[in-house]
Amino acid sequence: MAYRLAIFDFDGTLADSYPWFTSVLDHMAVRHNFRSIDAEERESLRGASARVIMKSVGVSTWKLARIAKDFRAMKKQASSGIPLFPGIPEMLQELHAKGVVLALVSSDTEASVRIGLGPELAGLFVHFDCGASLFGKARKFRRVLRKLSMTKAQTICIGDEDRDARAADKAGIDFGAVTWGYSTPESLIAHNPKRTFATVRDIAAIAG
């Protein structure tokens, strides 16, 4: 089926930010007193849910807002140096040309996202709803649908994490899993996504 609205995640879906994330993780662990993990354990945790990861490194729910604020501030400073995945500009331009409405929901700030996309690509999106809490995307998905007068059946969320899949399910919209982001393909497939994208180019097929 063709979709009229695509709601994209940003980090790990459009932007290749995982290397930056791992580069600042030890600093954040010291600053916020959670357990630092080595590269091998980081890889193993990519298949886990957000709640399991939090428990594993010792991050309690009450710390999340402060940690997220710090991450967002650091990310904004680094945004101009974090690349988009190859093929992202062409894919977004093709969807826009075919009449698919583009929106973006992210835990990052809108300012960081706009820097990362650049003005030309950012201009293709009709709506940004950023600053989502770790488990707050479902509410934002529903708000985007109301704002743009779209139905659930017309909409797909495209993301790279377990929490994207869970939020899409909670909001009652289809989920499209990309296989190149923060979570492992296997962990996302366990959520039975409506679409699975092995390459960036594959996403263009949602336009029908």
Side-chain angles (χ1 to χ4, degrees), residues 73-180:
M74 294 179 69
K75 177 72 170 359
K76 184 178 179 181
Q77 293 180 344
S79 288
S80 61
I82 296 174
L84 300 176
F85 287 103
I88 290 296
E90 295 81 4
M91 178 272 294
L92 293 174
Q93 289 161 353
E94 182 173 351
L95 288 180
H96 182 263
K98 290 182 175 179
V100 177
V101 176
L102 305 180
L104 194 144
V105 170
S106 174
S107 297
D108 206 348
T109 65
E110 183 173 338
S112 290
V113 168
R114 286 184 176 275
I115 292 169
L117 287 171
E120 182 178 353
L121 292 180
L124 301 179
F125 287 82
V126 301
H127 186 68
F128 292 85
D129 203 332
C130 297
S133 65
L134 191 62
F135 303 108
K137 281 191 169 183
R139 178 175 57 84
K140 288 185 176 287
F141 291 158
R142 289 190 287 264
R143 188 159 64 192
V144 172
L145 266 63
R146 290 195 301 270
K147 176 82 173 179
L148 300 180
S149 299
M150 294 288 186
T151 67
K152 295 176 181 179
Q154 294 171 322
T155 304
I156 185 169
C157 155
I158 299 175
D160 69 303
E161 293 185 67
D162 163 272
R163 64 195 181 100
D164 295 322
R166 293 178 185 275
D169 182 64
K170 189 174 181 180
I173 60 177
D174 287 349
F175 175 62
V178 306
T179 58
W180 52 82

Side-chain angles (χ1 to χ4, degrees), residues 164-200:
D164 295 322
R166 293 178 185 275
D169 182 64
K170 189 174 181 180
I173 60 177
D174 287 349
F175 175 62
V178 306
T179 58
W180 52 82
Y182 281 52
S183 295
T184 63
E186 295 78 13
S187 66
L188 294 176
I189 289 170
H191 289 280
N192 297 311
K194 193 71 172 182
R195 301 282 186 98
T196 302
F197 306 110
T199 70
V200 170

